[in-house]
Amino acid sequence: MAADPNTTAKPSTRPSERVSFASLTTNNLGTVRKLNSVLFPIKYSEKFYKDILAPEVEEFCKLIYYNDIPVGTVCCRIETKDDQGRLYLMTMGILGPYRCLKLGSQSLEHIITSASAHAKPKITKVYLHVQISNPDAKRFYERHGFEETGIEQDYYKKIEPRDAWILERKISPSD
Amino acid sequence: MPQGPAAGSAIPAKRALPSKESTLFKDLLSHYESRQLKKGHKIADQILKKFPEHGETLCMKGLVLTHMGKREEGLELVKKGIRLDLTSHICWHVFGLIQKGEKNYDEALKSYTQALRFDKENLNLLQDAANLQTQLRLFDSLQETRHTILRLRPNVRRNWVALAVAYHLGGNLEDARNVLEQYARTLKNIPDYDTEHSEVILYHIRLLADLGHNADALALLDTSAKSRAVVDRMSIMEYRARLLSSTGAQDDAAHAWRALIEHNPDNYAYYRGYLSAKGFDIDNLPEVKTPEVLKILSELGEQMPKAAAPRRLALDVASGTEFTTLARTYILSALRRGIPSLFADIKALYTDPAKRDAIERVVTAFYDSLSNSASASTPATHLWTLYFLAQHHSFSPSPPSPPSPPYTHALTLIHTALAHTPTLPELHTLHARILKRAGDPYGACAALEEARRLDGQDRYVNTKSAKYHLRCGMLEEAEGVLGVFTKKDAASPGADLEDMQSLLYMLEEASAQNRLNRPGLALKRYLAIQKVFDDIYNDQYDFHSYSIRRFTINIYLNLMSFEDKLRAHPAYVASSVEASRIYVRVHDDPSVATASTSIANMTGVAKKAIKKAKKAAFKAQEEPKKGLTQATSNEDKGLEPGPAKDEDPEGIKALGVKDPIEQAWKLLKPFATPTQNSLDVWIAVYDVSVRRQKYLLAAKALLKARGLKGEDGELHIRIVDFKQRVSSLPQLPADPIGPALASALALILPDELALETYNSQYLQRHASSAASVLAAAKVAHNLHAPIEEVEDLLFRLTTPEVNDDIKSGLATHAFLVKLGSRRADEFRQGCDDRYVLSTVFKTPEEIARLRAPPAQGMSDGDEPPEGQ
């Protein structure tokens, strides 16, 4: 589930903007839970919260801080098949008041850079689902080199509309 | 440590040993010295086989056994040894060592004095005696001892300093200075930047300054700084600035303070020093001088662009529009930078209502500008501004318009902030505080738990959450929360915190137990707080020798004055007063000691807690015992007794003492001093004294209390109580107490006035004060007024004429319940209706529901499809 983290860009002329990422631990997991509960219309399972703590995904599961305030989160998992890895972006979201500050872009760039540097397994692509009612989010990902590869019908079971675009971006060592 | 017999003295026949045993005895001493306890034990037995009556060997064996953990057996032997050889310095020294280990400093010093009678120049004995005399603050004999040591070893540097310190502690500053001057003459070939020498010089300078010889102090400082004798450069600068100020060289002083400001531009003391050198006393500034001071501060502010201190000080000084302008710059800059502590920094200004209002206008206007325009502000600024405003309206609510319950505005603001950014723990903590102030401890506790779930590593939030749980009487839950951070191998989180001397926890837990009507457990905690202070006081012992040895004299003297003021600590005073109240309750109604602590009376949870505590205590005792079974091991257990086992986990014994009122007096006696200015203390002193039939002291306590707050409700109750008690005496005490008492009583309450009249006059004077109305009702009850009359008085609290609050409402309800009034529930319901935000007036069933932990909100039956 990807909420629209960034639609339009404002010139960043504001004083002191510090963006930082924090790895997830059992101690700050409560913040991730809180963010998910206000950002997404879906309740995530305990397994979700267990998996994002795994050391393998440390670079792909982060809390996003803006001036030391936790305002967003991004969580991925690695899917491995025949030594080929692909990264699935499970959630990414920024609290409403903090959108349009390029936090989403910076987070996505961090994910892509980390993915291209990842060795075992080597990651060849990143993909994700976007609900078809959310064209802003789709445009956001397209600006970062994602392309639509199709529509998955009835992807969502409990929210309307139930269909989702599948977006994908190839990863090369130069990213 | 014990040494062999002094050379040259005639040895009594019973002490003399043949040469073989004499050698063995020397071996025993050296084995003890190197803590070869097992070998020492063996040798002692070897000697005793031939000379079972040899006192010194018996004492040494006792000492060795004590070190090995066999305390009782050891002490028995030592006592026997002394009886057999009363003139041996070794025997007395051993006894003294053991008493010192038990922290029985008084008795230990007596033994050392005995030992010194038989070996006058024994340096070990003298050093230990000096430490004991310092601990007991016996400065005259300390000076003598230090003098003797110096006479015996004049070439040891620290002996000079030790004598000077002894004079200083005893208040003989001139003598201390003489010693230091003589000491300075003995020194030669001191290397540059020698730390110990540097400390002594700084001490010398401090001493001269204390004596008022500022010019001499300054001269010594300047020569020592030039000759590279003083290492601590900050101290040089600070002493210089202070000394120049006191000598009146204000230009030089201003220069010195200015240099210090450069060094640390956020030290307020430096700015105060600078301004006072310029002739401005910033705390008593005439208004005509404010423009000059503000000009200086503004210049300093420009020179130190990063420092907050000059700008913050300007807010203290300025007023009117000037203040508004400065406050706007200061506050808005902090809001833009996102400084969480801004409100804590600012709120001291709120004592001036004009400044409070100005700040409210500034921040409200700023907030409106943020919401209205597309200004170049960040969402973080928006958030911190909301946070500030919520704190402002929680700390100092404006009169609401239109009328709404207090704290409504603060709550609206914090809800807006939480909707904006639900992930900042500070916001949830503030939410909790507002709810607490509005009288909803259960909601507050839940709000703090939200904060704690966001960041499990934040110990501040963890402790706050535990405290809020305790305030709701949720003791088990509090322990669970605290256990996240306490040692895992401790008997319980509470035991670990007691070990760590957490006064906050101990006080809160004790009063929670008290509120749950478990006086035994509460009393136990209060007494444990007393013990913490005993421990802190005892802990200074090692510093008497350490600080002299390391020449850290300045900090040592600060420590000594800290220890002398230790028992004025609020936690110590509070625990003494609260414990005395429990003793008074038991004295008035001995069934309190048996009824409320009996397990039958407790809830299942409490029973379980007690069982757990018992088990843990048992385990804690068993562990050292395991060690004891192998007492022949060489392990040194030291001379201090191990932790005493907890034989009273429920506090029943503490509560069931034979003489509760005497115990109470023991706690309060140290506070009944002429300078005591706590109303609570004097009321407690009255309660205890009058029950001990010390009527003169009781009268004195009332007069003291009246001097502090003459119209206080609790005092009013006591005045009438005193009069009743004294008039019911069969006869006044004998001369001189009787007449003195009569005249004291006349001062407190005019004789001709009937108590009922006195009470109704008091009520008329304070008809709008809830606490006073309650006090008058209690007095009416004590004067046997019919219950309907008392109830009518109490129900005045529900009328608009009385300025009631939640606290007085709770106290009144408790009193109605105690009276067995049928209108108690009516009163409770009335309060519940009036205090809309409060939950403390709910029924027990409703409260039980409020206490139940909120649902976690993390369901697992809602598994999203693959890819979520």
Side-chain angles (χ1 to χ4, degrees):
Chain A
M1 158 102 345
D4 50 343
N6 227 332
T7 43
T8 51
K10 267 190 198 170
S12 116
T13 53
R14 300 173 195 86
S16 67
E17 296 202 335
R18 290 185 311 280
V19 177
S20 54
F21 302 105
S23 298
L24 304 186
T25 67
T26 45
N27 284 315
N28 62 22
L29 203 60
T31 305
V32 182
R33 287 179 192 272
K34 176 63 95 184
L35 281 166
N36 286 353
S37 77
V38 296
L39 286 172
F40 310 121
I42 286 171
K43 268 182 187 163
Y44 289 89
S45 66
E46 283 309 305
K47 182 173 180 308
F48 173 90
Y49 291 107
K50 192 171 154 263
D51 291 348
I52 57 178
L53 290 178
E56 302 84 70
V57 292
E58 188 186 336
E59 279 316 303
F60 306 111
C61 297
K62 294 285 186 192
L63 272 171
I64 303 158
Y65 283 79
Y66 174 75
N67 286 356
D68 301 325
I69 306 168
V71 298
T73 164
V74 53
C75 289
C76 309
R77 66 166 179 249
I78 300 174
E79 298 172 345
T80 316
K81 207 173 165 189
D82 308 330
D83 284 349
Q84 291 278 306
R86 47 180 201 167
L87 198 64
Y88 178 65
L89 200 149
M90 298 186 285
T91 60
M92 168 144 134
I94 307 284
L95 290 174
Y98 301 86
R99 288 178 197 157
C100 311
L101 294 169
K102 293 193 175 293
L103 298 176
S105 298
Q106 288 184 52
S107 311
L108 198 56
E109 277 155 25
H110 173 84
I111 297 291
I112 290 168
T113 320
S114 305
S116 78
H118 203 265
K120 282 175 187 168
K122 203 171 148 42
I123 291 173
T124 54
K125 66 172 183 178
V126 186
Y127 78 109
L128 56 107
H129 288 93
V130 173
Q131 200 173 9
I132 56 161
S133 54
N134 195 353
D136 285 348
K138 188 181 178 219
R139 268 196 299 284
F140 166 75
Y141 287 106
E142 283 169 348
R143 273 208 306 280
H144 289 88
F146 283 79
E147 283 168 8
E148 185 193 326
T149 58
I151 287 183
E152 186 163 332
Q153 296 204 331
D154 288 337
Y155 174 73
Y156 297 102
K157 304 283 186 275
K158 291 178 183 165
I159 52 176
E160 290 294 334
R162 297 167 66 145
D163 298 348
W165 288 302
I166 303 170
L167 295 169
E168 191 180 296
R169 185 194 193 280
K170 299 262 183 295
I171 297 290
S172 64
S174 58
D175 279 319
Chain B
M1 295 305 109
Q3 288 170 341
S9 57
I11 300 170
K14 60 181 173 181
R15 189 182 308 152
L17 288 170
S19 80
K20 186 187 162 211
E21 276 74 19
S22 179
T23 318
L24 281 174
F25 188 74
K26 278 184 195 135
D27 286 349
L28 168 57
L29 291 180
S30 71
H31 282 318
Y32 171 74
E33 212 57 47
S34 54
R35 295 294 186 273
Q36 304 254 29
L37 301 175
K38 233 160 113 180
K39 281 189 191 157
H41 188 213
K42 229 165 102 184
I43 293 177
D45 281 341
Q46 219 175 322
I47 302 172
L48 288 172
K49 213 189 256 173
K50 272 199 186 161
F51 301 95
E53 303 268 273
H54 190 249
E56 293 184 339
T57 309
L58 279 167
C59 283
M60 284 308 295
K61 186 183 170 188
L63 183 62
V64 167
L65 284 175
T66 311
H67 271 277
M68 291 165 91
K70 296 184 171 177
R71 174 162 296 276
E72 277 160 35
E73 194 185 332
L75 192 59
E76 209 47 50
L77 283 176
V78 171
K79 282 184 180 162
K80 188 175 163 199
I82 295 178
R83 276 197 301 275
L84 288 166
D85 193 348
L86 281 168
T87 60
S88 156
H89 73 92
I90 292 187
C91 291
W92 285 109
H93 193 176
V94 165
F95 196 33
L97 279 172
I98 289 180
Q99 289 164 321
K100 190 177 77 175
E102 287 167 349
K103 312 217 188 294
N104 193 348
Y105 301 117
D106 241 336
E107 293 300 314
L109 182 60
K110 280 183 199 156
S111 299
Y112 271 94
T113 311
Q114 282 294 331
L116 278 167
R117 274 180 58 201
F118 306 114
D119 191 5
K120 292 189 172 49
E121 304 199 334
N122 184 325
L123 275 172
N124 277 326
L125 287 174
L126 286 165
Q127 296 285 10
D128 274 358
N131 295 338
L132 288 165
Q133 285 155 348
T134 318
Q135 181 78 6
L136 295 163
R137 304 294 191 266
L138 300 168
F139 296 128
D140 286 345
S141 36
L142 172 68
Q143 286 159 17
E144 256 172 62
T145 311
R146 291 295 193 202
H147 206 270
T148 312
I149 296 174
L150 179 62
R151 191 167 47 74
L152 292 171
R153 291 280 187 282
N155 48 354
V156 178
R157 276 162 72 187
R158 65 165 176 269
N159 290 343
W160 291 85
V161 179
L163 178 60
V165 169
Y167 280 131
H168 193 151
L169 290 172
N172 302 327
L173 300 190
E174 282 293 349
D175 287 338
R177 180 173 76 144
N178 285 336
V179 173
L180 281 184
E181 277 169 4
Q182 289 181 47
Y183 161 74
R185 271 180 238 128
T186 67
L187 295 173
K188 27 181 142 33
N189 301 333
I190 307 264
D192 284 352
Y193 299 127
D194 178 79
T195 320
E196 295 178 352
H197 183 54
S198 159
E199 275 292 311
V200 177
I201 290 179
L202 284 175
Y203 167 52
H204 197 161
I205 293 165
R206 168 183 180 156
L207 182 63
L208 289 171
D210 284 357
L211 276 164
H213 304 321
N214 292 312
D216 292 351
L218 195 59
L220 179 58
L221 178 71
D222 283 343
T223 49
S224 313
K226 269 195 210 103
S227 63
R228 304 178 195 174
V230 179
V231 181
D232 183 348
R233 293 200 46 229
M234 274 322 273
S235 283
I236 296 179
M237 292 175 78
E238 290 189 2
Y239 269 114
R240 249 189 83 80
R242 277 201 299 271
L243 288 170
L244 284 167
S245 285
S246 347
T247 48
Q250 297 307 355
D251 284 347
D252 290 342
H255 204 74
W257 287 113
R258 185 67 182 70
L260 279 166
I261 293 176
E262 293 276 347
H263 242 268
N264 179 1
D266 269 313
N267 188 326
Y268 285 83
Y270 297 165
Y271 289 89
R272 284 172 192 276
Y274 180 70
L275 286 167
S276 102
K278 291 267 181 193
F280 302 110
D281 175 5
I282 192 168
D283 297 313
N284 294 298
L285 200 63
E287 213 171 313
V288 286
K289 290 199 171 173
T290 42
E292 289 173 73
V293 172
L294 286 174
K295 189 163 166 277
I296 295 175
L297 285 172
S298 132
E299 281 162 12
L300 287 171
E302 276 164 35
Q303 287 150 13
M304 321 285 159
K306 284 197 167 169
R311 282 163 260 272
R312 178 63 185 78
L313 272 176
L315 298 184
D316 286 343
V317 176
S319 60
T321 47
E322 179 100 60
F323 172 80
T324 308
T325 316
L326 290 170
R328 182 179 296 121
T329 318
Y330 187 84
I331 294 175
L332 300 197
S333 143
L335 290 174
R336 289 205 178 94
R337 283 184 294 154
I339 293 173
S341 59
L342 175 64
F343 186 75
D345 172 23
I346 286 290
K347 75 176 177 196
L349 297 168
Y350 281 37
T351 46
D352 180 346
K355 289 190 179 182
R356 178 220 168 271
D357 293 347
I359 291 170
E360 181 174 305
R361 281 195 302 274
V362 163
V363 184
T364 310
F366 180 60
Y367 179 66
D368 291 343
S369 79
L370 288 180
S371 325
N372 295 339
S373 68
S375 60
S377 71
T378 69
T381 308
H382 186 98
L383 179 69
W384 290 120
T385 309
L386 262 173
Y387 179 59
F388 183 95
L389 282 174
Q391 288 177 93
H392 168 87
H393 286 287
S394 162
F395 178 73
S396 160
S398 327
S401 60
S404 56
Y407 302 107
T408 313
H409 192 36
L411 277 176
T412 314
L413 287 163
I414 196 66
H415 285 146
T416 314
L418 282 168
H420 183 279
T421 305
T423 47
L424 195 65
E426 280 90 338
L427 300 183
H428 295 276
T429 314
L430 176 59
H431 187 202
R433 182 173 296 144
I434 299 172
L435 290 173
K436 180 188 78 174
R437 283 179 175 154
D440 179 10
Y442 310 103
C445 189
L448 247 174
E449 274 297 277
E450 283 279 310
R452 195 173 74 83
R453 274 198 287 272
L454 290 175
D455 187 356
Q457 266 177 315
D458 190 329
R459 192 167 191 178
Y460 168 79
V461 171
N462 181 280
T463 306
K464 275 273 166 194
S465 165
K467 176 173 150 183
Y468 277 44
H469 275 105
L470 288 173
R471 291 275 170 96
C472 303
M474 298 159 82
L475 272 61
E476 288 250 299
E477 290 85 347
E479 289 248 320
V481 168
L482 290 165
V484 176
F485 280 95
T486 53
K487 263 204 245 147
K488 295 291 169 269
D489 55 353
S492 70
D496 184 42
L497 288 167
E498 191 173 319
D499 219 31
M500 296 287 109
Q501 308 183 325
S502 166
L503 296 171
L504 168 83
Y505 165 74
M506 293 166 81
L507 273 178
E508 287 291 342
E509 210 251 3
S511 59
Q513 300 282 18
N514 227 353
R515 282 192 297 272
L516 292 169
N517 196 20
R518 297 177 195 155
L521 289 166
L523 181 61
K524 232 189 102 178
R525 276 277 190 246
Y526 287 129
L527 297 180
I529 294 172
Q530 302 269 316
K531 198 182 153 288
V532 166
F533 283 89
D534 292 345
D535 288 346
I536 295 175
Y537 196 79
N538 286 336
D539 285 345
Q540 67 176 301
Y541 186 87
D542 292 339
F543 289 99
H544 303 320
S545 53
Y546 175 86
S547 301
I548 299 286
R549 210 165 59 236
R550 308 304 297 265
F551 293 90
T552 52
I553 306 138
N554 287 298
I555 203 82
Y556 171 67
L557 289 172
N558 296 348
L559 171 78
M560 290 293 278
S561 55
F562 164 79
E563 297 283 358
D564 286 342
K565 283 178 274 181
L566 180 66
R567 311 223 180 223
H569 190 285
Y572 188 76
V573 181
S575 68
S576 307
V577 168
E578 291 296 337
S580 85
R581 284 182 185 156
I582 296 177
Y583 281 131
V584 167
R585 266 182 72 192
V586 177
H587 172 85
D588 290 354
D589 178 8
S591 73
V592 169
T594 43
S596 61
T597 37
S598 77
I599 298 206
N601 246 357
M602 294 199 172
T603 62
V605 180
K607 265 192 235 172
K608 234 170 58 191
I610 282 171
K611 256 194 209 156
K612 220 171 101 187
K614 265 189 185 163
K615 219 168 138 187
F618 180 73
K619 214 173 125 194
Q621 292 160 32
E622 285 305 290
E623 246 135 61
K625 271 191 204 157
K626 268 183 223 155
L628 272 191
T629 51
Q630 358 161 330
T632 43
S633 84
N634 236 339
E635 191 196 347
D636 182 10
K637 297 196 187 305
L639 283 177
E640 293 182 20
K645 53 181 178 178
D646 188 357
E647 284 170 339
D648 191 20
E650 293 159 62
I652 293 178
K653 279 187 195 158
L655 213 51
V657 287
K658 282 196 307 291
D659 52 351
I661 208 67
E662 293 306 315
Q663 298 295 329
W665 179 238
K666 240 167 66 188
L667 295 175
L668 290 178
K669 196 177 169 197
F671 297 108
T673 59
T675 51
Q676 179 59 249
N677 57 6
S678 154
L679 184 71
D680 282 352
V681 167
W682 285 119
I683 298 271
V685 168
Y686 166 79
D687 285 343
V688 171
S689 300
V690 81
R691 285 164 177 80
R692 293 175 72 235
Q693 277 120 38
K694 304 288 180 200
Y695 296 108
L696 217 47
L697 190 55
K700 188 184 127 196
L702 289 183
L703 285 169
K704 279 284 189 182
R706 199 172 64 171
L708 293 166
K709 197 176 172 212
E711 299 286 281
D712 183 76
E714 291 295 314
L715 174 61
H716 175 66
I717 298 172
R718 266 62 174 198
I719 288 176
V720 176
D721 176 69
F722 190 49
K723 177 85 180 176
Q724 279 180 299
R725 282 180 193 258
V726 175
S727 356
S728 70
L729 289 178
Q731 63 191 67
L732 276 185
D735 220 32
I737 297 173
L741 181 59
S743 59
L745 197 58
L747 271 177
I748 298 167
L749 205 155
D751 208 21
E752 62 284 355
L753 209 56
L755 288 177
E756 285 79 2
T757 321
Y758 180 73
N759 192 31
S760 59
Q761 284 177 356
Y762 175 81
L763 184 63
Q764 267 168 24
R765 278 203 304 278
H766 305 286
S768 64
S769 152
S772 299
V773 174
L774 174 58
K778 284 186 176 173
V779 168
H781 174 67
N782 290 344
L783 295 171
H784 311 292
I787 187 159
E788 292 76 18
E789 200 179 296
V790 178
E791 283 168 344
D792 283 343
L793 271 177
L794 291 171
F795 268 78
R796 284 198 190 183
L797 262 84
T798 59
T799 61
E801 284 80 54
V802 176
N803 302 317
D804 60 332
D805 54 29
I806 291 174
K807 212 173 127 196
S808 61
L810 281 174
T812 305
H813 180 243
F815 183 52
L816 281 166
V817 171
K818 195 176 148 205
L819 289 180
S821 161
R822 272 175 300 178
R823 296 181 67 191
D825 205 54
E826 178 195 337
F827 184 86
R828 181 196 61 71
Q829 190 62 54
C831 288
D832 192 39
D833 293 344
R834 255 172 321 129
Y835 298 109
V836 181
L837 296 170
S838 164
T839 50
V840 288
F841 295 107
K842 301 283 176 205
T843 63
E845 296 76 39
E846 285 169 318
I847 285 178
R849 256 201 308 284
L850 289 167
R851 274 184 185 178
Q856 290 275 318
M858 299 296 166
S859 89
D860 41 9
D862 216 11
E863 189 82 13
E866 173 71 4
Q868 289 305 308

